[in-house]
Amino acid sequence: MTNVPSARARGPFAGLLARAFAAMAAIPDWPIALVARLSIAGVFWQSGRTKVEGFAVTDTAIALFQDEYKLPLISPWLGAHLAAFAEHLFPVLLVIGFATRLSALALLTMTLVIQTFVYPGAWPTHGVWAACLLFLMARGAGLLSVDALIERRTSSWT
């Protein structure tokens, strides 16, 4: 605990706060990672579902990339297909916790493109997405993940 004086120095309320802060500091990373993985996966999965019917990207999604999103350097057709693919693949990988850091990096890159070229005024929403994704990049998927299972299995080989 930093910047929290001892309980004696500040009275009973300070002691209660100190204990509360200590309890918060003891929260392990894995439940935070699980919530981050599931919640951000849901955001991108739902967006991806709006772009497809069955296994085909809709004309509406392509039109959206042509008329509203207007990404530089790539055609609306390619942009719609890449976005639909990414918004389905990476959320699934996050949910199972496989290649989590790379999946989070891919979705953070997508978030930065959206923030820069599509909806620059939506920085509060994109900031929340970035916080989840940065946490996953920094800390990984956590205990309940395929990544952790692989790590446990491969560390026993050495």
Side-chain angles (χ1 to χ4, degrees), residues 40 111 115 119-132:
I40 200 66
T111 299
Q115 174 60 37
Y119 297 119
W123 62 267
T125 298
H126 299 148
V128 172
W129 299 358
C132 289

Side-chain angles (χ1 to χ4, degrees), residues 3-15 17 21:
N3 300 329
V4 178
S6 71
R8 283 189 200 143
R10 298 191 54 208
F13 184 67
L17 279 178
F21 291 165

Side-chain angles (χ1 to χ4, degrees), residues 27-70:
I27 297 170
D29 284 350
W30 73 264
I32 301 166
L34 182 61
V35 170
R37 284 175 24 220
L38 297 178
S39 59
I40 200 66
V43 168
F44 281 93
W45 179 266
Q46 289 174 348
S47 177
R49 297 305 307 147
T50 67
K51 293 175 178 66
V52 298
E53 283 184 19
F55 290 101
V57 173
T58 63
D59 292 338
T60 305
I62 295 169
L64 202 58
F65 275 79
Q66 182 175 350
D67 300 331
E68 186 174 339
Y69 297 168
K70 298 181 183 180

